[in-house]
Amino acid sequence: MPELAPYAVGDAGSRGRVYAEPRPKARSEFQRDRDRIVHSTAFRRLEYKTQVFVNHEGDLFRTRLTHSIEVAQIARSVARTLQLNDDLAEAIALAHDLGHTPFGHAGQDALNECMQGHGGFEHNLQSLRIVDRLEERYGAFDGLNLMFETREGILKHCSPARARELGELGIRFLEGRRPSLEAQICNLADEIAYNNHDVDDGLRSGVLTLEQLQEVSLFARHAAEVDAEFPRIAGRRRVHETIRRMIDAQVTDLLAESARRIVEAAPLDLDEVHRAPELIGFTAAMSEENRALKGFLREHLYRHFEVLRMTAKARRVIQDLFGAFVSDPRLLPPQYQAMAAGGTIERATADYIAGMTDRYSMKEHRRLFAVSEF
Ligand code: MG
């Protein structure tokens, strides 16, 4: 393993775990975290959770699981090249979407609406709640008992009110301090992964067209390059060759700009990283191209009528389920009834619904509402 930079997160300088445990024998602490995440129930569920396109619309679209693996791949290579802790970056990336509800952002928005007046619902906080409390795998503690820096990286953003409730983990939001560089990398690796795979999935679904994408400079520029170099390729191969180059250009830009900022700020240790401005980032030119790509996707993909139909249906499923359980808690599985007794019915219901896969939530909806099914 290449030597870590002095401002990287290492086992030795870590703030450790809530419950003290013996050091792992053959792995680093952050490799252990990654392994715990991969073995968790919430991680396996990501396979059947929507990214943008609902799972049953086609077998080739991204799911939360393949998205998380793509984020981990990008985060790991960036971290390694910058001499940062790639095991930590991988752990954060694999866990970053664990708290997502079924049906992507539509599901989160619906559940957040249902939870107004009951503490709200936010997928970052839910990811943290899963690794801190909801996973039941160890005799000695609830959750996965992950390292502080892994948990800090999972909690990407958080309101000041929430931050005050989170103790040690919330302090940085109140004091305006940055997370580790490994966590900053994961945020941007997430962005690179979804912007590019949404173009790919959008084209695959037929919702986006190649003609429309000509207005996106990042796409048009690389497609022209591909046409010049490979005038005879077409169809999916041309799309893949273009998107591959887009990802490469973004990663290369991120690496060069971040390395430049790190040299300029010259942090001596992790504490100086926390106090510095964001050191991981794109050049202004690439940020602008990314903004244009995002704007394009918002207009042409996320607000396309076929995607909005899915969104509207997802909202109904989640609202119906939430209403049914809250008005009659006896309909909840006993485990969640017990959680409601120790907390609130709304939070227990949100935990139950957020943990559902797309198809499980639809099945549960049929069980509760379809007169022809019991
Ligand atoms: Mg993500």
Side-chain angles (χ1 to χ4, degrees):
M1 201 173 120
E3 212 185 314
L4 291 182
Y7 42 80
V9 176
D11 284 9
S14 168
R15 294 166 74 176
R17 305 178 189 277
V18 171
Y19 302 95
E21 291 187 66
R23 286 181 57 80
K25 290 187 195 74
R27 302 171 284 183
S28 72
E29 294 282 11
F30 293 100
Q31 285 171 338
R32 171 150 76 180
D33 275 9
R34 175 206 51 210
D35 299 347
R36 287 183 174 185
I37 291 159
V38 169
H39 288 275
S40 70
T41 306
F43 185 73
R44 276 192 303 286
R45 287 177 175 150
L46 294 175
E47 182 173 5
Y48 300 103
K49 289 193 179 199
T50 289
Q51 184 67 27
V52 173
F53 292 91
V54 190
N55 214 264
H56 59 258
E57 289 182 315
D59 290 345
L60 296 177
F61 295 121
R62 266 70 176 186
T63 64
R64 289 261 165 225
L65 181 65
T66 62
H67 162 71
S68 301
I69 293 171
E70 289 183 30
V71 176
Q73 180 275 314
I74 295 168
R76 230 177 28 228
S77 3
V78 173
R80 185 171 294 208
T81 308
L82 296 175
Q83 284 184 284
L84 298 165
N85 189 335
D86 58 328
D87 295 321
L88 169 60
E90 184 179 18
I92 296 170
L94 292 175
H96 86 284
D97 271 353
L98 288 179
H100 260 293
T101 61
F103 305 118
H105 279 281
Q108 159 173 300
D109 293 346
L111 196 52
N112 186 31
E113 272 168 36
C114 295
M115 287 295 286
Q116 285 316 299
H118 310 287
F121 180 87
E122 213 274 302
H123 76 88
N124 275 303
L125 282 163
Q126 191 68 11
S127 300
L128 188 69
R129 193 168 155 79
I130 286 169
V131 301
D132 280 357
R133 294 171 68 172
L134 297 180
E135 281 286 326
E136 297 177 316
R137 310 193 73 79
Y138 298 92
F141 44 77
D142 285 340
L144 304 178
N145 195 32
L146 300 179
M147 298 289 275
F148 179 88
E149 293 76 11
T150 310
R151 298 167 58 230
E152 173 195 70
I154 291 172
L155 190 65
K156 194 157 65 172
H157 28 241
C158 160
S159 69
R162 274 318 181 82
R164 272 186 278 276
E165 295 165 15
L166 288 169
E168 219 192 354
L169 212 54
I171 292 173
R172 81 172 175 88
F173 296 98
L174 302 171
E175 295 182 349
R177 287 156 66 99
R178 314 281 162 216
S180 67
L181 296 179
E182 289 84 350
Q184 295 181 35
I185 287 173
C186 287
N187 282 344
L188 292 175
D190 186 23
E191 206 177 300
I192 295 174
Y194 67 68
N195 280 334
N196 289 287
H197 66 48
D198 287 353
V199 170
D200 187 28
D201 282 355
L203 285 168
R204 187 188 302 279
S205 66
V207 168
L208 298 181
T209 65
L210 288 167
E211 295 69 52
Q212 284 175 328
L213 272 158
Q214 281 308 310
E215 72 177 71
V216 178
S217 63
L218 197 61
F219 186 91
R221 183 153 47 86
H222 290 101
E225 242 182 62
V226 171
D227 293 340
E229 199 174 330
F230 303 106
R232 300 154 95 104
I233 67 168
R236 294 301 306 166
R237 190 194 289 263
R238 178 173 176 270
V239 169
H240 289 149
E241 181 65 41
T242 305
I243 293 176
R244 179 183 84 70
R245 285 162 191 251
M246 288 164 60
I247 295 173
D248 186 62
Q250 287 165 298
V251 170
T252 306
D253 181 275
L254 182 70
L255 279 171
E257 174 65 10
S258 304
R260 189 192 68 75
R261 291 187 198 175
I262 291 170
V263 167
E264 198 178 276
L268 292 175
D269 54 22
L270 187 55
D271 196 52
E272 294 197 5
V273 164
H274 292 314
R275 285 186 278 117
E278 236 154 68
L279 297 181
I280 303 295
F282 296 111
T283 57
M286 184 57 84
S287 299
E288 191 43 52
E289 286 204 298
N290 275 334
R291 246 193 308 279
L293 172 56
K294 268 188 200 182
F296 172 88
L297 288 170
R298 201 176 316 117
E299 191 182 333
H300 297 283
L301 180 61
Y302 311 138
R303 289 185 191 155
H304 188 274
F305 81 98
E306 283 179 24
V307 174
L308 289 179
R309 283 182 183 188
M310 185 277 280
T311 309
K313 194 146 69 174
R315 171 178 300 268
R316 267 198 304 278
V317 169
I318 294 210
Q319 283 169 343
D320 288 350
L321 290 177
F322 189 87
F325 294 129
V326 168
S327 59
D328 190 352
R330 296 169 308 167
L331 304 181
L332 278 172
Q335 171 200 355
Y336 290 93
Q337 291 188 34
M339 283 164 61
T344 67
I345 177 63
E346 290 82 10
R347 185 57 61 191
T349 300
D351 285 338
Y352 182 42
I353 293 176
M356 292 179 184
T357 61
D358 294 358
R359 60 184 185 184
Y360 184 86
S361 71
M362 292 186 284
K363 196 167 174 192
E364 196 67 337
H365 192 270
R366 285 198 300 278
R367 281 191 204 118
L368 287 163
F369 294 99
V371 284
S372 55
E373 191 165 320
F374 283 92

